Amino acid sequence: MQRLNGNVMAKYIFVTGGVVSSLGKGLAASSIGCLLEARGMRVQMMKLDPYINVDPGTMSPFQHGEVFVTDDGAETDLDLGHYERFTNAKLSQANNWTSGRIYLSVIEKERRGDYLGKTIQVIPHITDEIKAAVRAVAEAHSPDVQIVEIGGTVGDIESLPFLEAIRQMGNEEGRENAIFIHVTLVPYIAAAGELKTKPTQHSVRELREIGIAPDILLCRSDRPISADLRRKIALFCNVQERAVISALDLPTIYEVPIAFHEQGLDQLIVEDLKLASQFPTADLNRWRQLVSTIKDPSGGSIKIAIVGKYVELEDSYKSLREALTHAGVANDLRVNVSWIESENLSAEGYETELQDYDGILVPGGFGKRGIPGMLRAIKYARRSGTPYLGICLGMQTACIEFARNACGLRDADSTEFNEQTAFPVIFKLRDLVGVDELGGTMRLGGWDCKLLDGSLAAEVYGGAATVSERHRHRYEFNPEFREVLAKEGMVFSGVSPDGKFIEIIELSRDKHPFFIGCQFHPEYKSKPLAPHPLFVAFVRAAWENRLRSENLEHDVASDRQVEMSERVGIPSEN
């Protein structure tokens, strides 16, 4: 089939999951995209989520994990973060659809009279809307292959319309233009001392009952799957034996594409889609080097404390953790992260709890829970000379801490935490005054930021005058307090082009070696082969701090006369 403009129609890979949730369908889909790009293909990625929320923007991080924001301001599933990190696909709101958004679109059309009085049904109206959303992405980007991940688990009632839609697309596109990959579980039963294939058999049977016959199985397990078990799975699930791919737990997620490639997954895909002659080989040299550095960096290691509100579920800060890994690779270092619940950072002994870390990071969040602990961590970092990176809420709390303890504004606060504060250093976005709805009402997406010449921020970004970063915030720095904070040494090194928003704050380097906060989320734009410069600089500063501390300890141990580092003890404020 040909497009009107002469380009070849996109081919589709549909990725489903069975047995249990959280098997890693997003990572599997991302790894497939990585492999196909390594063969020279143009790839697009898409996620279809079965929940009724219009988007994940108002969902609890403890339930759903991180909300990933795209350049166009879409609040999306965290799997889109994996897609962007593993591939070069340009993603937007069009790449993530939920049941809620699909139904909302259909209902809005019905209200407008677009269906001309017809009875609106799941089939064909909902399924047609799903298919139209999938094909719209292919039309917009003209990829060679579009990978579509279906959220949830086969057998869930809410995912049935999506599964029916992709079943129909499989028939409409044709056997050589659409394939189905099923991610499933092969659990180890300790009492029996063996892996069991029955859950996979049942999951595939559920798929086949609704008309989808998977072409390839990705079998998650915590130990290797023997050749006999692979033959058994192939026999009972009606796939080729070489199409039963072992998806083992690995030391790093970035090793997954290599593991799949070594089992011939990408070769299977290009053969099934009749693309083998056009894209015969995969070049994974840079990816192998990346994995080698992650697993065995030659430069050493550092310890970073992340003091946050949602640390019980690490997926709440998924992009953040990966950005630190990327920065570690750039510096040839292993970044060891400790997750510290800010609510548990007590007033007594917090210095002792933080003194062994080479750098401190306070990430984003909402609400006043845990704020005192964040302020203590920031106070320690500022006064001890420990490298500090504050992101979104981490920048806002850095401004509050500085106002209270360096500028004498003891009651300084954010109106998010205290509407009656006498010194509202942080207040609600002026564009949102009077807006009470929560969904989609923040300052979202990519916005430009002008950098102050000669500042730490400008140095970090390689001397750039303007950068574009992704935002997700409802509160901002109050410019009325800019002069007060600047007088005591705070530098406002990044502002919006119109001067309305403060984007980056830092302390002058005669006061602190590395103390910087940003209103945006740099982690959203970090990739393993293109790490974000803010994280690269932060990790480098933490390493330099570690070296200073080790040199000091060596000097003390050898009885040399030394000046005590600020990190050893926190001096008085003045």
Side-chain angles (χ1 to χ4, degrees):
M1 290 188 296
Q2 300 286 322
R3 293 190 192 279
L4 292 177
N5 62 10
N7 292 333
V8 176
M9 291 285 285
K11 295 176 184 280
Y12 295 94
I13 299 173
F14 297 106
V15 179
T16 57
V19 184
V20 295
S21 60
S22 301
L23 282 180
K25 295 187 302 298
L27 275 174
S30 303
S31 298
I32 292 167
C34 174
L35 288 174
L36 298 185
E37 283 194 345
R39 284 178 174 261
M41 295 186 204
R42 298 188 311 276
V43 172
Q44 258 300 314
M45 310 288 299
M46 193 171 185
K47 176 75 181 286
L48 303 177
D49 276 309
Y51 48 76
I52 304 299
N53 305 66
V54 173
D55 62 41
T58 58
M59 295 171 69
S60 166
F62 290 117
Q63 287 193 21
H64 191 263
E66 171 185 78
V67 174
F68 186 81
V69 177
T70 54
D71 273 332
D72 66 340
E75 295 177 286
T76 70
D77 185 82
L78 64 82
D79 280 329
L80 270 75
H82 287 312
Y83 301 166
E84 285 204 350
R85 286 187 285 272
F86 278 71
T87 74
N88 294 308
K90 303 297 183 185
L91 306 182
S92 67
Q93 188 177 50
N95 297 82
N96 188 199
W97 284 78
T98 68
S99 289
R101 192 164 155 225
I102 290 288
Y103 275 83
L104 181 63
S105 178
V106 170
I107 290 168
E108 286 174 344
K109 289 180 179 179
E110 187 275 333
R111 292 289 83 188
R112 289 198 306 264
D114 291 6
Y115 296 112
L116 299 176
K118 293 178 181 177
T119 301
I120 311 306
Q121 297 176 294
V122 173
I123 303 173
H125 301 98
I126 296 298
T127 51
D128 282 353
E129 193 74 13
I130 294 168
K131 291 188 293 182
V134 173
R135 288 183 171 126
V137 172
E139 288 289 336
H141 297 277
S142 300
D144 296 305
V145 173
Q146 181 162 314
I147 301 168
V148 183
E149 177 194 349
I150 313 301
T153 306
V154 170
D156 293 345
I157 191 169
E158 61 262 31
S159 64
L160 285 174
F162 290 109
L163 295 174
E164 171 60 20
I166 65 172
R167 182 197 68 78
Q168 293 176 19
M169 285 193 69
N171 289 334
E172 293 163 3
E173 297 294 327
R175 179 67 186 81
E176 296 178 1
N177 296 310
I179 64 171
F180 296 90
I181 297 179
H182 191 53
V183 184
T184 182
L185 179 68
V186 180
Y188 178 77
I189 306 301
E194 60 183 359
L195 292 166
K196 291 295 185 181
T197 66
K198 194 64 71 177
T200 292
Q201 295 177 42
H202 280 274
S203 183
V204 171
R205 186 179 70 185
E206 287 238 28
L207 263 184
R208 294 175 67 84
E209 284 176 354
I210 59 177
I212 296 174
D215 301 283
I216 298 170
L217 299 178
L218 303 181
C219 300
R220 294 282 286 112
S221 63
D222 64 352
R223 60 202 66 208
I225 300 174
S226 68
D228 286 343
L229 279 184
R230 290 172 70 160
R231 278 192 291 271
K232 181 178 180 180
I233 292 170
L235 177 65
F236 282 94
C237 296
N238 197 35
V239 298
Q240 302 174 61
E241 185 179 332
R242 72 188 188 110
V244 180
I245 305 294
S246 177
L248 286 170
D249 297 338
L250 295 168
T252 169
I253 60 173
Y254 300 107
E255 197 173 356
V256 175
I258 295 171
F260 283 169
H261 174 70
E262 290 173 349
Q263 296 179 73
L265 175 59
D266 51 316
Q267 185 63 32
L268 266 172
I269 291 170
V270 295
E271 287 176 7
D272 284 352
L273 293 176
K274 303 301 185 227
L275 293 170
S277 60
Q278 190 176 352
F279 303 103
T281 58
D283 180 4
L284 290 169
N285 288 335
R286 290 186 69 199
W287 207 261
R288 292 182 190 277
Q289 186 176 1
L290 165 77
V291 171
S292 176
T293 304
I294 291 174
K295 294 171 72 173
D296 189 23
S298 61
S301 65
I302 58 169
K303 293 171 64 178
I304 300 294
I306 296 181
V307 183
K309 296 161 66 75
Y310 316 120
V311 298
E312 292 176 18
L313 181 66
E314 288 186 22
D315 274 358
S316 300
Y317 301 115
K318 189 63 180 174
S319 292
L320 183 64
R321 182 63 188 92
E322 297 309 316
L324 286 169
T325 297
H326 307 159
V329 171
N331 287 285
D332 203 7
L333 296 168
R334 175 172 284 110
V335 180
N336 298 312
V337 169
S338 293
W339 302 91
I340 298 177
E341 170 58 60
S342 59
E343 201 169 20
N344 297 336
L345 204 58
S346 63
E348 295 182 4
Y350 70 92
E351 300 99 330
T352 303
E353 191 170 348
L354 295 170
Q355 68 182 3
D356 292 330
Y357 293 102
D358 306 305
I360 295 172
L361 191 156
V362 173
F366 298 92
K368 65 181 180 180
R369 182 185 67 82
I371 296 301
M374 291 182 177
L375 294 173
R376 293 181 189 112
I378 295 165
K379 180 180 180 181
Y380 174 83
R382 181 176 63 83
R383 298 173 67 181
S384 66
T386 304
Y388 174 78
L389 175 60
I391 295 173
C392 197
L393 180 61
M395 185 202 93
Q396 296 174 4
T397 46
C399 292
I400 293 169
E401 190 280 328
F402 192 80
R404 288 182 182 182
N405 298 317
C407 303
L409 306 179
R410 296 297 178 185
D411 296 323
D413 216 330
S414 167
T415 56
E416 182 181 10
F417 318 137
N418 177 11
E419 292 186 359
Q420 307 305 318
T421 176
F423 304 113
V425 175
I426 306 295
F427 64 176
K428 193 172 185 178
L429 286 166
R430 286 157 280 181
D431 297 341
L432 294 182
V433 174
V435 177
D436 295 322
E437 289 187 9
L438 297 181
T441 57
M442 290 183 278
R443 184 168 179 248
L444 295 163
W447 295 89
D448 285 347
C449 168
K450 284 177 58 179
L451 302 179
L452 178 66
D453 188 36
S455 64
L456 174 60
E459 180 183 306
V460 164
Y461 280 97
T466 304
V467 295
S468 177
E469 295 286 0
R470 298 179 187 177
H471 297 67
R472 185 175 184 252
H473 63 106
R474 188 173 281 112
Y475 291 81
E476 60 169 313
F477 177 81
N478 186 344
E480 290 185 10
F481 292 90
R482 181 171 178 172
E483 186 176 342
V484 176
L485 272 62
K487 185 179 178 181
E488 298 301 326
M490 180 166 281
V491 178
F492 297 89
S493 53
V495 297
S496 58
D498 60 4
K500 182 177 180 180
F501 298 104
I502 298 298
E503 297 279 12
I504 304 175
I505 61 98
E506 60 186 67
L507 293 183
S508 56
R509 277 173 278 188
D510 61 335
K511 288 184 174 293
H512 197 288
F514 190 97
F515 189 103
I516 193 166
C518 53
Q519 185 59 75
F520 47 81
H521 288 266
E523 68 270 27
Y524 291 151
K525 297 186 76 170
S526 184
K527 295 178 177 245
L529 298 178
H532 194 285
L534 263 175
F535 288 96
V536 173
F538 173 60
V539 166
R540 186 185 306 118
W543 173 244
E544 291 169 353
N545 186 42
R546 183 179 186 84
L547 292 179
R548 284 195 299 269
S549 299
E550 289 177 350
N551 289 337
L552 174 65
E553 290 171 4
H554 176 267
D555 290 344
V556 170
S558 61
D559 291 331
R560 286 179 54 189
Q561 186 69 30
V562 297
E563 293 183 10
M564 297 302 289
S565 166
E566 284 186 341
R567 187 179 179 187
V568 176
I570 301 180
S572 60
E573 192 64 50
N574 296 313

